[in-house]
Amino acid sequence: MKTVLLAACLTLVAAEAQAISRYDPTRMSCGRVQATIARQGAVILRYQSKRVPGLPLYDRYVQSQQFCTMGEVRTRAYVPSADAKSCPVYICKRVEVDHFRRRIPRRH
C-alpha cells in the first residue's frame, strides 16, 4: 500500500512539473507578454484569428533554445498584443532535413 501511495504522489509531482501556463496575449502589453515568457521559460499563448472570426490560434512560445526538443530550433514568431499588432516572440520549429538530396559537384 505504501508503494502505491508513493507512486501516486510521484506521478502527481511529475504532472505538476509538466504543467504550462496559458495566456491571452491580446489582454497584455507586448512587454508583458515577453516578460512572462522570459520568466516562465515556456507558455501557451491563445488568441482569436483576425482573418477567420471565431478561429482560436495557439502555440507554445519559448524563452530560449533550451526549451526546444532535439530536432527543433528556436524561430522568431509574432503574436498580437494589447498594444501591438505584431509582438516578437519565439517558437520551437522542427528542422526539416532532406536526406536524399545530395550536393553534386558541378563540372566546368
Side-chain angles (χ1 to χ4, degrees):
M1 184 65 168
K2 286 183 181 179
T3 305
V4 172
L5 184 58
L6 179 62
C9 289
L10 290 175
T11 303
L12 183 61
V13 169
E16 286 180 22
Q18 295 297 322
I20 186 167
S21 298
R22 292 163 174 80
Y23 298 96
D24 180 350
T26 62
R27 296 176 183 247
M28 306 162 68
S29 69
C30 182
R32 186 167 164 219
V33 169
Q34 293 169 334
T36 301
I37 296 169
R39 183 177 65 252
Q40 294 191 15
V43 300
I44 302 262
L45 298 179
R46 184 173 189 256
Y47 53 94
Q48 293 296 315
S49 169
K50 298 287 185 194
R51 290 188 274 176
V52 182
L55 177 67
L57 301 175
Y58 63 93
D59 208 339
R60 181 174 172 268
Y61 297 87
V62 298
Q63 184 261 335
S64 69
Q65 179 69 38
Q66 77 182 41
F67 293 94
C68 298
T69 62
M70 186 177 287
E72 293 181 328
V73 294
R74 187 178 82 146
T75 305
R76 181 165 310 268
Y78 298 88
V79 296
S81 66
D83 63 345
K85 286 183 179 182
S86 296
C87 179
V89 291
Y90 292 95
I91 61 171
C92 295
K93 202 166 197 175
R94 183 147 308 276
V95 177
E96 296 296 325
V97 179
D98 187 353
H99 294 288
F100 299 106
R101 191 179 247 180
R102 296 183 181 209
R103 283 206 127 158
I104 300 172
R106 291 172 54 180
R107 295 182 183 216
H108 294 276

